[in-house]
Structure formats: structure tokens, C-alpha cells
Amino acid sequence: MENEAYGPRIQKLQERMAAANVEAFFTLAPPSMRYLTGFTGEEGYLLVVQGGVHLILDGRFTTQAQEECPWVDVIEYTGHFTRSVAELLVAGHTHWLGFEKERISFVQAEQMRTAMPSVVMVPTEGMVEGMRMVKDAHELDMMRAAGRCADKAFSAMIRQLKAGMTENEVAALLEYEMRKAGAQGTSFATIVGSGARGALPHGIASSKVIEHGDVVVIDFGVNENGYMSDCTRTVALGEQPADVLETYAWLLDAQQLGLSLIRAGASARSIDTAVRNKLKEHGLAQYFTHGLGHGVGLEIHEAPRLSQGTDAELQAGEVVTCEPGVYLPGRYGMRVEDSVIVTADGFESLTQLSKELVLP
Ligand SMILES: [Mn+2]
């Protein structure tokens, strides 16, 4: 992305820093560093002050950072990163340092306190995450591209899926197709849960053989240029008994209802409640054991949440999932998940995959 995209983000962060009464802001979270500077390395330390942006890196990443964000002051540290941070803060006569309390470990906080006794460390929350919720036009294009890549990979995999394969083989095949479609990797460990294993909502693929008649939950995502996709489909190999077909139809109804309520201004909790109530009509609410959805972007799970534990109102430009599930322990599980862009009057889906249960 062009450098001009990062300038406004840094400026906005500096405004948020001023509002939080901190002169400097420190993060070591790779998604935040990437969002603010374009640096894609998996380890580093970013210090933003009102007068500049410093990336403190070890020798593995300095050349990369100079190429990816030439406008940033790249500092190669030897020894411990806290020394470079302390030097910058002392040189700038900085006393109030904001840091992300949810991202930094206790030991790192202690090391920083020891290295810079004259600096007051101020815990902050959601400083960068709050900015990342609403995606800009460029980010939305990246999310659309990730969604298309995931669709392509899943479609290629599903043509090859057959009874007798293990869950691991299916996951490997899907991940191979992701890479072929342009992904740099997955956004999380691919979930393939067949038969009774499908009732484990986050049971990653195992060596279990998928049998004819199994219902299979496949939850997968690509990482394409740092942006994540998230989608779940449930497929069945072979004809299914009426109760399975009926349960799946009710689940689809519930997901459709959830999607239909997504729009800017909607209460995230009320959408979760509506979907839960819909499942309750069929006696299935107690088998839906997780939140309805979550934000997606540079991280697979980010703000906002669609659950009972939130007061968030959806905003246009957020990307959220809608993923109700029904898990019958010892029998089977089902989940259907789409990721969508919230718009003023509805949503734009990032996934176009079929929701037909029984594979042809
Ligand atoms: Mn999800």
C-alpha cells in the first residue's frame, strides 16, 4: 500500500494519544505494527511519539522494514529492546508512555519499568484495535480478495472430498488449494470435524477417517497479505435422515435471520439474541454454545463481538461473522458462517459458497 495511507493512521493515533494524556505509545503487536506502518515482520517494537515513528528491530528485520516503510525511523537494537526505547524517551524528554495492557506480558512490562525509571507507564486499551474496527476502502478490497481466495480454495477442495479420506487429508488439501489460490497461509488451524467430532465446535482436523453418511463441519480461513478470511460450511456425504435435514434447515433459517439484522446502528447483542431465540423455537438453543460472531481483519478474532457480552453497535465498514452452530454431543455438529461487510442498510457478503448440505 502507498505510504500516504499510513500517515493518516499515525495522525489519528497521535490524536488518541493526546486524548489519553500520553506523549508516546508503544506496541509490540504485529497486527498493530502492520496497520500503522506496513511492516510485516512477526517481531518488533513500535514507538510512536508526537514527532515521529520508530521501529526497534533486531537484525533479521531491519532491511525488510527499510523496504516496507522507508518513512519510518528503523533502529537496529543489540542487547535488549528496552534500552533503545529508553534512549528515545529520554532524548525526547518523554514521561508518559502508553502501552497496550492486553498485548504486553508482565515480564516485558517489568523490564521496561526497570530500564526507564523516569517514565510513567500508562496502560491503554483498544488504542489501535479501536481504529482497526472500521476498515478503509483499501482494507475492504483486501478482505474481498481474501474471501474470493477462500471460496476458490474451498470449491477446489470440495470437488475432491470423498469418504475414506481422513480429516487431516481434507485440511491439507484445503490448505494446499489456499496456497495455490494465492494465500500466504491460513488464518487459524483448519477445523474439519466429521461425525461426532463435528460436535466439538473448535475440534481441529484429526486422523479420523471420514465415513459415508458423516456430517462434516469445515471452518477455514486464508491469510492473504495479512488480511484474514473466516468461513464455515457443513457438508454431508450421502443421504441424511429427516431429523438431520430438518436441524440443518432450522440452522440455516437462524443464520439467515442473523444476517438480515446486520446493518450499521444495529445492536450486536440483539442480533445474537434473535438468532438464539430462533433456535429456541426448535429446542436447539442449548446446543448453540458460543457467541454468534466476531470482527475479522488483520486478526481472525477482533472487535466487535456479536454476543451476549457486548454493548457494541455495528458500524458501516466493520467486517463481522455470523456463525450459529448446533452441536449434539456424541452425534454430530453443524455450523454455517459467513463474513460480511456491514453497510448503512445491510451487508455485503465476502463469501459466495453454496450452503447445500448434501454433496452431489
Ligand atoms: Mn469465526
Side-chain angles (χ1 to χ4, degrees), residues 83-146:
R83 201 191 312 160
S84 300
V85 176
E87 279 167 13
L88 287 165
L89 294 179
V90 169
H93 305 286
T94 306
H95 296 292
W96 301 90
L97 172 65
F99 70 100
E100 294 172 301
K101 66 177 183 184
E102 287 165 319
R103 303 279 186 167
I104 190 168
S105 72
F106 188 78
V107 70
Q108 286 162 332
E110 279 194 328
Q111 286 164 341
M112 290 178 72
R113 280 211 175 95
T114 307
M116 47 191 99
S118 65
V119 172
V120 181
M121 288 184 62
V122 182
T124 68
E125 197 178 339
M127 197 82 119
V128 185
E129 286 87 343
M131 293 170 59
R132 282 172 30 202
M133 278 198 291
V134 172
K135 275 72 180 166
D136 64 27
H138 174 80
E139 292 187 286
L140 292 177
D141 280 343
M142 306 286 270
M143 295 296 291
R144 289 184 187 103

Side-chain angles (χ1 to χ4, degrees), residues 49-61:
V49 293
Q50 291 300 342
V53 180
H54 310 278
L55 262 174
I56 298 143
L57 306 170
D58 70 52
R60 292 172 297 165
F61 296 111

Side-chain angles (χ1 to χ4, degrees), residues 165-168 194-197 205-211 214:
M165 295 169 83
T166 67
E167 294 172 353
N168 274 329
S194 61
R197 289 196 76 258
S206 77
S207 55
K208 177 190 173 296
V209 173
I210 299 172
E211 306 196 33
D214 274 357

Side-chain angles (χ1 to χ4, degrees), residues 191-229:
I191 292 169
V192 180
S194 61
R197 289 196 76 258
L200 311 170
H202 269 205
I204 59 167
S206 77
S207 55
K208 177 190 173 296
V209 173
I210 299 172
E211 306 196 33
H212 186 79
D214 274 357
V215 172
V216 189
V217 179
I218 304 171
D219 189 348
F220 65 101
V222 305
N223 170 350
E224 197 182 55
N225 299 314
Y227 284 85
M228 309 297 170
S229 75

Side-chain angles (χ1 to χ4, degrees), residues 308-329:
Q308 291 301 300
T310 181
D311 293 317
E313 256 187 23
L314 297 183
Q315 306 174 74
E318 290 175 346
V319 176
V320 298
T321 70
C322 178
E323 49 178 308
V326 170
Y327 312 99
L328 301 172

Side-chain angles (χ1 to χ4, degrees), residues 188 202 219 229-232 292-296 300-301 321-323 335 337-339:
F188 56 89
H202 269 205
D219 189 348
S229 75
D230 195 7
C231 176
T232 307
L292 179 65
H294 55 86
V296 197
I300 186 63
H301 295 130
T321 70
C322 178
E323 49 178 308
R335 179 165 64 256
E337 171 182 33
D338 290 300
S339 297

Side-chain angles (χ1 to χ4, degrees), residues 36-359:
L36 293 167
T37 70
F39 170 61
T40 65
E42 72 267 22
E43 198 179 325
Y45 308 92
L46 177 68
L47 185 71
V48 178
V49 293
Q50 291 300 342
V53 180
H54 310 278
L55 262 174
I56 298 143
L57 306 170
D58 70 52
R60 292 172 297 165
F61 296 111
T62 45
T63 307
Q64 180 183 337
Q66 278 152 1
E67 282 170 13
E68 289 176 337
C69 39
W71 54 279
V72 170
D73 172 38
V74 175
I75 298 166
E76 182 172 332
Y77 76 91
T78 48
H80 206 267
F81 77 89
T82 50
R83 201 191 312 160
S84 300
V85 176
E87 279 167 13
L88 287 165
L89 294 179
V90 169
H93 305 286
T94 306
H95 296 292
W96 301 90
L97 172 65
F99 70 100
E100 294 172 301
K101 66 177 183 184
E102 287 165 319
R103 303 279 186 167
I104 190 168
S105 72
F106 188 78
V107 70
Q108 286 162 332
E110 279 194 328
Q111 286 164 341
M112 290 178 72
R113 280 211 175 95
T114 307
M116 47 191 99
S118 65
V119 172
V120 181
M121 288 184 62
V122 182
T124 68
E125 197 178 339
M127 197 82 119
V128 185
E129 286 87 343
M131 293 170 59
R132 282 172 30 202
M133 278 198 291
V134 172
K135 275 72 180 166
D136 64 27
H138 174 80
E139 292 187 286
L140 292 177
D141 280 343
M142 306 286 270
M143 295 296 291
R144 289 184 187 103
R148 280 194 301 272
C149 175
D151 274 9
K152 196 173 166 191
F154 187 85
S155 302
M157 178 278 291
I158 212 77
R159 286 194 287 271
Q160 306 167 69
L161 173 63
K162 51 182 189 295
M165 295 169 83
T166 67
E167 294 172 353
N168 274 329
E169 283 175 295
V170 172
L173 186 57
L174 178 52
E175 291 171 14
Y176 173 64
E177 295 293 349
M178 288 178 191
R179 290 268 186 176
K180 278 209 292 187
Q184 279 88 55
T186 61
S187 50
F188 56 89
T190 304
I191 292 169
V192 180
S194 61
R197 289 196 76 258
L200 311 170
H202 269 205
I204 59 167
S206 77
S207 55
K208 177 190 173 296
V209 173
I210 299 172
E211 306 196 33
H212 186 79
D214 274 357
V215 172
V216 189
V217 179
I218 304 171
D219 189 348
F220 65 101
V222 305
N223 170 350
E224 197 182 55
N225 299 314
Y227 284 85
M228 309 297 170
S229 75
D230 195 7
C231 176
T232 307
R233 287 295 181 265
T234 299
V235 296
L237 287 86
E239 292 308 314
Q240 294 296 313
D243 65 309
V244 171
L245 296 176
E246 198 173 53
T247 305
Y248 186 71
W250 289 333
L251 177 64
L252 271 191
D253 272 359
Q255 199 230 4
Q256 201 51 50
L257 173 67
L259 288 170
S260 75
L261 296 171
I262 291 177
R263 64 168 57 82
S267 138
R269 182 172 43 204
S270 71
I271 301 173
D272 180 280
T273 303
V275 170
R276 244 164 254 286
N277 287 341
K278 188 79 189 166
L279 289 172
K280 198 185 265 175
E281 288 173 19
H282 308 291
L284 295 173
Q286 71 268 36
Y287 303 113
F288 174 32
T289 48
H290 52 75
L292 179 65
H294 55 86
V296 197
L298 287 168
E299 287 176 284
I300 186 63
H301 295 130
E302 53 181 55
R305 306 281 158 171
L306 281 72
S307 72
Q308 291 301 300
T310 181
D311 293 317
E313 256 187 23
L314 297 183
Q315 306 174 74
E318 290 175 346
V319 176
V320 298
T321 70
C322 178
E323 49 178 308
V326 170
Y327 312 99
L328 301 172
R331 295 182 60 202
Y332 61 83
M334 298 174 162
R335 179 165 64 256
V336 182
E337 171 182 33
D338 290 300
S339 297
V340 304
I341 299 170
V342 179
T343 64
D345 50 8
F347 67 90
E348 172 192 331
S349 183
L350 296 177
T351 309
Q352 312 301 330
L353 292 172
S354 159
K355 296 176 188 175
E356 205 62 51
L357 177 67
V358 180
L359 290 177

